[in-house]
Amino acid sequence: MRNNQIERLVTAIPTNGIDLKVGNTFNVQLTATDGKDRAVSLQNAIINYEIADESIATVTSSGVITAKKEGQTELSIYVVSNNILDVIKAKIYVGEEIESLLLREIDTNIVVYLNTNGQQMNPYGITKSGREVEFETITYSVGNTSIATISDEGYITPVSSGTTTLSIEGE
């Protein structure tokens, strides 16, 4: 291994792709490490960004993606360092609506017993195309706080016996 040889490229791009609303942007951030996971500078690397369908999204030479219209496309990132080419690909989804909100590990009613510490809610969305997505912001509320409370982080705690309604909104 040569000094400062890039062995691994890392991005903050979610594994299930980049979700954007029309007009929004996403800044692709790249980092590199050597074979011993030490940071390596990308200063001498040649980096090119390419969008498959530029009518849906565009990307600048510095990696800023702008969503243009609803649809799906693909981002390709080409990095050349020490005459070695690395390619990273990621899906871009623009304006894809969420069709339903589901809770992980919960199939029916939520039952929380008084002698327990409570239960964590883990919501996620399903888009019209069937893709699973995480929410950027989630709001929780319960109908009757004398029965149960819920934290801003989605942890439901029983207060007394009874039934209440849990509302979850995600964006």
Side-chain angles (χ1 to χ4, degrees), residues 1-76:
M1 178 176 70
R2 289 178 267 172
N3 288 338
N4 295 321
Q5 174 70 44
I6 293 174
E7 296 288 330
R8 188 166 42 116
L9 291 169
V10 179
T11 73
I13 296 173
T15 56
N16 62 345
I18 301 167
D19 287 291
L20 292 170
K21 293 179 182 175
V22 174
N24 285 5
T25 61
F26 181 90
N27 186 12
V28 177
Q29 296 179 357
L30 283 174
T31 57
T33 59
D34 64 12
K36 294 183 180 181
D37 285 332
R38 295 177 297 207
V40 175
S41 172
L42 286 165
Q43 184 174 353
N44 295 323
I46 300 168
I47 303 170
N48 289 305
Y49 301 90
E50 183 178 288
I51 298 280
D53 186 342
E54 291 188 337
S55 70
I56 294 172
T58 57
V59 63
T60 66
S61 61
S62 60
V64 178
I65 299 168
T66 302
K68 295 294 186 187
K69 73 174 189 178
E70 190 173 318
Q72 297 178 18
T73 188
E74 186 173 68
L75 168 70
S76 298

Side-chain angles (χ1 to χ4, degrees), residues 56-151:
I56 294 172
T58 57
V59 63
T60 66
S61 61
S62 60
V64 178
I65 299 168
T66 302
K68 295 294 186 187
K69 73 174 189 178
E70 190 173 318
Q72 297 178 18
T73 188
E74 186 173 68
L75 168 70
S76 298
I77 306 168
Y78 302 97
V79 180
V80 178
S81 175
N82 294 324
N83 294 321
I84 298 172
L85 172 66
D86 284 307
V87 180
I88 297 173
K89 293 188 179 271
K91 295 287 186 188
I92 299 174
Y93 304 91
V94 178
E96 193 171 49
E97 290 184 35
I98 295 173
E99 190 169 72
S100 60
L101 181 147
L102 301 172
L103 295 171
R104 292 188 203 293
E105 303 168 11
I106 297 175
D107 295 328
T108 58
N109 292 331
I110 300 167
V111 178
V112 182
Y113 296 99
L114 282 173
N115 59 351
T116 64
N117 291 329
Q119 186 170 351
Q120 179 67 47
M121 301 294 106
N122 295 305
Y124 63 97
I126 301 292
T127 65
K128 287 184 178 182
S129 67
R131 215 167 46 82
E132 185 177 308
V133 295
E134 300 298 323
F135 294 105
E136 289 181 27
T137 58
I138 303 169
T139 306
Y140 302 93
S141 64
V142 290
N144 186 342
T145 56
S146 67
I147 302 295
T149 60
I150 192 159
S151 70

